[in-house]
Amino acid sequence: MDPGELLENMKRSLDGGIAAGIFPGGAVCLLQEGKPALKVVSGRTGTAAGEPLVSADTLYDVASLTKVMVTLPLVLFSVQEGRLSLTDSIVQWLPELAEERDKHEKERIRVIHLLTHTSGLPAWRPYFLRGSGHAEYLRMIAGEPLLGRPGEQVVYSDLGFMLLGFLLERIWQEELAALAWRKLFRPCGMFHTGYLPRQQTAWRDCVIAPTEVGNGHEREMVQQYLLQLEVMGDPRAAEWREALESFSWREGVIRGEVHDCNAYHGLGGVSGHAGLFSTLNDVERYMAIWTSDDAPVQIDPVLRSLATRPLTDPHAPRRTAGWEASTAGGGLNQVAHGCTGGDLLTEQAYGHTGFTGTSIWSDPGRGAVLITLTNRVHPAVNPEMNRWRRAHHNRLFAAIPVKRA
C-alpha cells in the first residue's frame, strides 16, 4: 500500500473512533523501516466548545505507557551500568517490603518478576484512600498478601511498577522525574515529555488533552473492591469503608494532572506505574531506542532482546521484561486470550497500552511501529476502546507486508 493510501487508512480509523464517541480526537504515527514517518491527527482535544484541534504536539496523559517509557528503560540502564541485576531480590533494595505479611515469599520476588508481572502482587489497590508518600505505600504493599508464589502466574500489577520506581530512586539517589529527564528524555530530545506538566514553565503554551470529568471510574473500582472485602469478611473492610466515606474526590475536568488516583493523590503525580505526559512526536523519538542502532541513548542489545521477547509462556497474557508480547506462535490459551495489539502481529511483536487511550506496538516482523494517543476517558471512560483498538491495529498492520525470512 502506498503512503497516500496508508495515510487515508489511518485517518479513516481515527475518524471512526471519533464518530463513535470513543474519544474526541487523537494522533497516530506509523513508522516503517527506511521510510518517513506517517502521522495523522484528527478531532479536538475535548468535548467542550472551543477545545483546540489535536496536533502532533498535544500533550496526553499516557497512563501505563509510563511503565515502558520511564521505568523499564531506567531499570535496563541500571543493569548495564552495574548498579542492579535482574536477579536481585526486591527486598535487597526495599527491605521494608518484608516487614509484614508473607515475608519469606516476598524475599523471593526478583526484579525480573516485577518486570514480567509475575511477582504474586495484586493488580491494584486504592492505597490513596489511606496514605500517601513512598514510606506509606511501602508499608501498605508490605501488608498485602501475595496472590501466589513469585513466577507462578501473570497478574498485571501497578503495585510492582510502583516498587520499581521506588527501587530506582534508591539505586540512583535521585528523584524519578529528574532521573528520567537526565538519563532519557533530554538525551533523546523529548523536550515535551515528563511528569507534572503544569509545573513545567517551558510547557506553558502547550495544549494538554483533558481526561475524565472527576474520577468516577476509579470511584466505582473502589466500591467494587470494598464490596469484595465485605463479602469475604475481610477485617480490613471497615477501615477501608471509613476512609472512603471521608475521601475528597476530584469533581471537575482533569487536565494537566495525572488521571490515576494512586499516582495523583498518593505519590504526588510521579510514579513508576503512571504519571507521564508526552506527545506523538516525542513518543516517536522514544521508540528509536528500541528500533534503531543510531539512537542517542542505547540499550545493550542483549537487554533489548530480553526486554522484547516473551518470557512467560505458557502463561496468559504473555509478557516480556516490561512489554506485552504478541500471542502469535503461542498456544491456544494465549491466542484465545488475545493481545491489545490485535490479531495480525508476528511472533516478534511487543507493545503496551495506557488506560487513558494510548498505545505503542512495535512489530519487527513487519518492520513497523504504530503509536496511538487518544483520551478515551474524556469526558467519561468509554468501554468500546479495546474493540476499536484491535480493529485499528488489524487494519493498519494488514497493510504492511511481513518481511521475508
Side-chain angles (χ1 to χ4, degrees):
M1 187 176 290
D2 67 41
E5 289 179 290
L6 268 173
L7 281 168
E8 183 57 35
N9 230 10
M10 291 162 68
K11 190 171 190 316
R12 277 199 300 269
S13 185
L14 199 52
D15 286 346
I18 295 168
I22 299 171
F23 42 78
V28 179
C29 178
L30 180 63
L31 304 168
Q32 295 176 270
E33 290 177 357
K35 298 181 180 179
L38 299 178
K39 298 179 187 179
V40 169
V41 297
S42 190
R44 295 186 177 272
T45 55
T47 55
E51 281 282 343
L53 295 170
V54 173
S55 79
D57 289 313
T58 299
L59 278 166
Y60 280 91
D61 176 344
V62 300
S64 282
L65 292 190
T66 305
K67 295 179 175 75
V68 292
M69 290 183 65
V70 176
T71 311
L72 172 59
L74 291 180
V75 166
L76 299 181
F77 295 159
S78 301
V79 172
Q80 66 193 39
E81 294 191 25
R83 294 172 181 258
L84 179 70
S85 169
L86 295 177
T87 61
D88 284 350
S89 167
I90 188 66
V91 170
Q92 174 183 336
W93 296 100
L94 302 172
E96 304 97 315
L97 193 62
E99 291 178 354
E100 298 203 27
R101 299 188 66 162
D102 294 344
K103 175 178 185 284
H104 297 298
E105 288 301 318
K106 284 174 179 162
E107 288 174 344
R108 294 188 175 99
I109 299 174
R110 309 295 174 185
V111 172
I112 191 66
H113 290 137
L114 297 177
L115 289 172
T116 55
H117 298 278
T118 58
S119 67
L121 289 166
W124 171 89
R125 291 290 184 261
Y127 291 145
F128 58 90
L129 293 179
R130 300 187 60 194
S132 63
H134 292 189
E136 280 289 293
Y137 267 64
L138 270 171
R139 182 187 61 79
M140 289 186 281
I141 297 174
E144 196 70 54
L146 294 182
L147 302 178
R149 300 185 66 182
E152 289 189 345
Q153 61 183 319
V154 175
V155 176
Y156 178 80
S157 175
D158 281 354
L159 277 58
F161 271 75
M162 291 176 196
L163 292 177
L164 287 172
F166 302 160
L167 166 72
L168 287 165
E169 295 196 341
R170 292 257 173 113
I171 288 172
W172 291 90
Q173 291 296 294
E174 189 173 0
E175 292 184 354
L176 187 63
L179 179 63
W181 171 253
R182 182 175 66 84
K183 294 288 293 180
L184 183 60
F185 304 149
R186 183 172 61 189
C188 289
M190 298 165 62
F191 298 119
H192 291 98
T193 298
Y195 294 92
L196 304 169
R198 287 187 167 175
Q199 297 182 21
Q200 308 289 338
T201 56
W203 297 4
R204 283 178 178 169
D205 295 329
C206 293
V207 173
I208 306 175
T211 54
E212 201 174 359
V213 179
N215 270 124
H217 180 82
E218 203 151 354
R219 189 184 300 201
E220 179 60 28
M221 288 174 62
V222 172
Q223 294 283 7
Q224 292 299 317
Y225 173 64
L226 294 190
L227 180 61
Q228 180 184 10
L229 289 182
E230 290 164 350
V231 167
M232 294 188 305
D234 193 306
R236 299 173 295 173
E239 296 176 4
W240 282 108
R241 181 67 64 184
E242 182 180 355
L244 174 60
E245 289 173 356
S246 62
F247 189 74
S248 179
W249 294 90
R250 290 178 284 183
E251 299 293 345
V253 175
I254 299 171
R255 189 195 302 263
E257 299 172 347
V258 58
H259 178 258
D260 180 273
C261 286
N262 275 313
Y264 176 74
H265 294 287
L267 297 169
V270 180
S271 178
H273 80 288
L276 192 69
F277 286 74
S278 192
T279 68
L280 188 70
N281 285 332
D282 273 9
V283 179
E284 176 195 352
R285 294 182 182 102
Y286 170 71
M287 284 307 294
I289 74 171
W290 295 97
T291 60
S292 172
D293 293 330
D294 299 322
V297 171
Q298 292 290 320
I299 297 172
D300 184 272
V302 172
L303 289 176
R304 188 164 62 181
S305 173
L306 184 72
T308 55
R309 72 172 188 261
L311 297 177
T312 61
D313 199 14
H315 300 305
R318 301 178 87 193
R319 306 299 309 191
T320 76
W323 298 91
E324 181 184 349
S326 164
T327 56
L332 178 61
N333 188 34
Q334 289 83 34
V335 176
H337 184 277
C339 76
T340 60
D343 306 304
L344 296 178
L345 299 168
T346 72
E347 293 182 37
Q348 299 167 275
Y350 57 93
H352 213 284
T353 62
F355 183 77
T356 50
T358 60
S359 64
I360 301 169
W361 271 92
S362 176
D363 191 345
R366 295 184 187 270
V369 177
L370 183 60
I371 300 163
T372 305
L373 303 182
T374 77
N375 51 339
R376 68 96 175 209
V377 294
H378 179 78
V381 175
N382 194 302
E384 291 297 306
M385 183 65 187
N386 289 339
R387 179 197 58 77
W388 176 85
R389 184 188 280 130
R390 286 192 174 94
H392 171 67
H393 285 90
N394 285 348
R395 165 184 277 178
L396 297 180
F397 279 120
I400 303 165
V402 175
K403 295 193 297 184
R404 294 182 180 179

